[in-house]
Amino acid sequence: MSFVTRRKSMEPPAAHDGHSLIPTLGWPHLVALGVGAIIGTGIYTLTGVAAGLAGPAVILSFAMAGAVCAFAALCYAEMSTMMPQAGSAYTYSYVGMGELAAWIVGWSLILEYTVVCSTVAVGWSGYAGGLMQQAGWSVPQALLAGPHAGGIINVPAIFITLVVSALLLVGTRESATVNFILVIVKIVALAAFVALTIPAFDAAHFEPFAPFGFGATMDADGVKRGVAAAAGIIFFAFYGFDAISTAAEETKNPGRDLTIGIIGSMFACTAIYMIVAAAALGASPFDVFSKSPEPLAYILRGLGHPQVAAVVAGAAVVALPTVIMVFMFGQSRIFFAMARDGLLPRRLSKVGARGVPAPVIILTGVVAATIAGFLPLDEIAALANAGTLLAFIATAIAMMLMRRRAPDLPRPFRTPLWWFVGPAAVAGCLYLFTTLPVSTLVNFLIWNAIGVVAYLAYGRVKSRLATA
């Protein structure tokens, strides 16, 4: 069989062979993983940016972006419950489309997850640096930024990345429990924001509802505005739920818990985004708070709640490590699955006494910390968006192929109207691909060209299917 078309079996790997993960997670942990990844600093900053593009109709933008993600989430729910193995879209592509497609998807996911970890770590460093300066700590600026930003090394970014890596090494359930607690902190802070803005709610702030229209039209300043334009930006605040599917092999009841985790976190986060946006719009005209880099805290200060504003801003600092944790968790499981399949050195898939793949967690942490500490992220951060869209498209296509190829296979969760949901997910993601900068698409092609060369040189001949 050609290396292009050879496909992996759906059968799970043999248990207790030193390369199998231990099921320890329930649906509350999975929902928290999804919320931890999706509700990051985006909700504290993106609400203002998106409102500036769509006006009060930004509520519809959140719903539109959530709908596109929901289509993908339904595909993920079917595939993850049908084959509860580590690897997410990489594994689904391997079973559905073949080894080469799986490698390309896995290689893209490696880029996505690592870049997100590093980017968020640098963002956390900015907050941490500000707090240290407020506390009177005389930390040299050279140690607060990488060479590209006028410093030498970004020590706080390296620190938080390695701390999260160490936490993941302690154990899957333990790290998931910490994430759960931090997610609760974020939700409480957002609930406080909503509760304090409701008394100031003014329906007049919603008129006109869609001042820039519902499409994506270019204004005189060369900025695309409208409900669809805002949705295109908002979409990228939603991805992260796919990291839940990387935990499939570590889920105690995959058929039930993965469905609840993936779909539940998507709907919960969509509702949270829409409620917070509505509360912000009701408390302040959109053209006022949209100009602030911290719109939620700005609104609270304007309402006479400076202490709560500080707490909400502080919750953003708490939010960031959970995002790093979830994406690093997902990255390590992608690495793990590819190594277990022989496409990367198999020793990386060794599972230790604590039930975690320590070699890939350490590798992921070191790579992410190095990027965060030294390399410029402005341009490469956008590559994560391309990797996400490719993973969503691949999962939807794999779902449709398996429906045709093996319609009678047991499916604990079946995507409703799969013949519509699958193409809708693909079409929505392809449209969003067209909104990415040309430079991002070119760099993404270059990254995958490097990946294909690496596969032909190593994975093609070392794959377990090639050596079986």
Side-chain angles (χ1 to χ4, degrees):
M1 183 183 294
S2 167
F3 69 86
V4 175
T5 58
R6 59 193 181 204
R7 300 196 304 270
K8 188 169 72 168
S9 168
M10 279 183 52
E11 295 300 317
H16 310 301
D17 64 348
H19 300 273
S20 298
L21 300 171
I22 300 174
T24 59
L25 303 179
W27 68 262
H29 296 103
L30 298 180
V31 171
L33 282 176
V35 176
I38 298 171
I39 304 295
T41 52
I43 197 166
Y44 300 96
T45 58
L46 196 64
T47 303
V49 174
L53 298 177
V58 69
I59 297 174
L60 298 182
S61 301
F62 279 111
M64 183 183 297
V68 174
C69 283
F71 289 142
L74 291 170
C75 299
Y76 268 92
E78 175 167 325
M79 296 302 293
S80 64
T81 55
M82 187 170 68
M83 52 182 81
Q85 302 178 34
S88 185
Y90 155 77
T91 297
Y92 314 147
S93 300
Y94 210 155
V95 173
M97 292 181 281
E99 189 170 280
L100 180 59
W103 171 268
I104 292 173
V105 171
W107 187 253
S108 299
L109 285 173
I110 288 173
L111 177 69
E112 172 202 344
Y113 282 72
T114 305
V115 167
V116 169
C117 290
S118 301
T119 303
V120 176
V122 171
W124 185 89
S125 174
Y127 284 104
L131 291 175
M132 285 188 285
Q133 291 175 353
Q134 290 177 18
W137 296 8
S138 56
V139 181
Q141 185 62 33
L143 300 181
L144 297 177
H148 60 285
I152 298 176
I153 179 175
N154 194 326
V155 174
I158 293 176
F159 169 79
I160 192 62
T161 304
L162 296 180
V163 166
V164 170
S165 302
L167 182 58
L168 289 173
L169 287 170
V170 172
T172 298
R173 187 176 179 86
E174 291 80 1
S175 56
T177 299
V178 172
N179 176 70
F180 186 89
I181 295 170
L182 295 180
V183 164
I184 295 298
V185 172
K186 290 192 289 187
I187 299 302
V188 169
L190 293 172
F193 170 81
V194 173
L196 290 173
T197 52
I198 286 178
F201 191 91
D202 186 352
H205 295 162
F206 289 82
E207 297 292 340
F209 184 65
F212 307 110
F214 289 89
T217 56
M218 195 82 71
D219 66 8
D221 298 324
V223 177
K224 283 188 176 181
R225 298 184 187 274
V227 173
I233 291 177
I234 289 169
F235 171 85
F236 300 112
F238 276 97
Y239 73 71
F241 72 85
D242 55 320
I244 298 172
S245 64
T246 66
E249 201 169 310
E250 294 159 275
T251 302
K252 290 185 286 189
N253 186 350
R256 180 197 67 184
D257 295 346
L258 286 168
T259 302
I260 296 174
I262 293 172
I263 298 178
S265 65
M266 262 305 307
F267 280 99
C269 291
T270 302
I272 291 169
Y273 273 127
M274 294 179 70
I275 291 170
V276 170
L281 289 162
S284 173
F286 79 91
D287 55 350
V288 175
F289 73 80
S290 65
K291 298 174 183 176
S292 171
E294 44 174 3
L296 304 192
Y298 173 86
I299 291 171
L300 288 173
R301 284 194 294 268
L303 295 177
H305 303 292
Q307 294 84 4
V308 182
V311 171
V312 170
V317 181
V318 173
L320 287 171
T322 66
V323 179
I324 301 171
M325 184 184 300
V326 176
F327 276 92
M328 190 173 293
F329 174 92
Q331 164 67 306
S332 65
R333 271 52 179 182
I334 299 291
F335 262 136
F336 168 81
M338 296 177 74
R340 187 167 61 184
D341 290 335
L343 300 183
L344 294 173
R346 186 165 164 76
R347 60 181 175 274
L348 291 176
S349 64
K350 186 69 176 177
V351 176
R354 291 187 173 274
V356 298
V360 292
I361 291 176
I362 294 171
L363 174 63
T364 300
V366 170
V367 172
T370 301
I371 294 173
F374 296 99
L375 300 182
L377 287 166
D378 294 344
E379 291 188 15
I380 63 174
L383 292 174
N385 297 338
T388 299
L389 290 170
L390 179 63
F392 286 5
I393 291 170
T395 300
I397 291 175
M399 183 275 292
M400 293 186 286
L401 287 173
M402 294 305 292
R403 279 295 186 103
R404 289 292 190 185
R405 187 180 301 142
D408 299 326
L409 280 175
R411 289 172 168 82
F413 176 83
R414 301 179 69 87
T415 301
L417 303 176
W418 69 270
W419 45 267
F420 169 76
V421 171
V426 173
C429 292
L430 286 176
Y431 167 73
L432 290 171
F433 244 116
T434 66
T435 68
L436 297 176
V438 174
S439 60
T440 297
L441 297 178
V442 171
N443 290 335
F444 186 64
L445 288 175
I446 293 172
W447 170 257
N448 275 293
I450 295 171
V452 169
V453 172
Y455 168 75
L456 293 175
Y458 184 89
R460 178 177 62 89
V461 294
K462 296 291 186 178
S463 161
R464 294 189 71 178
L465 294 184
T467 58

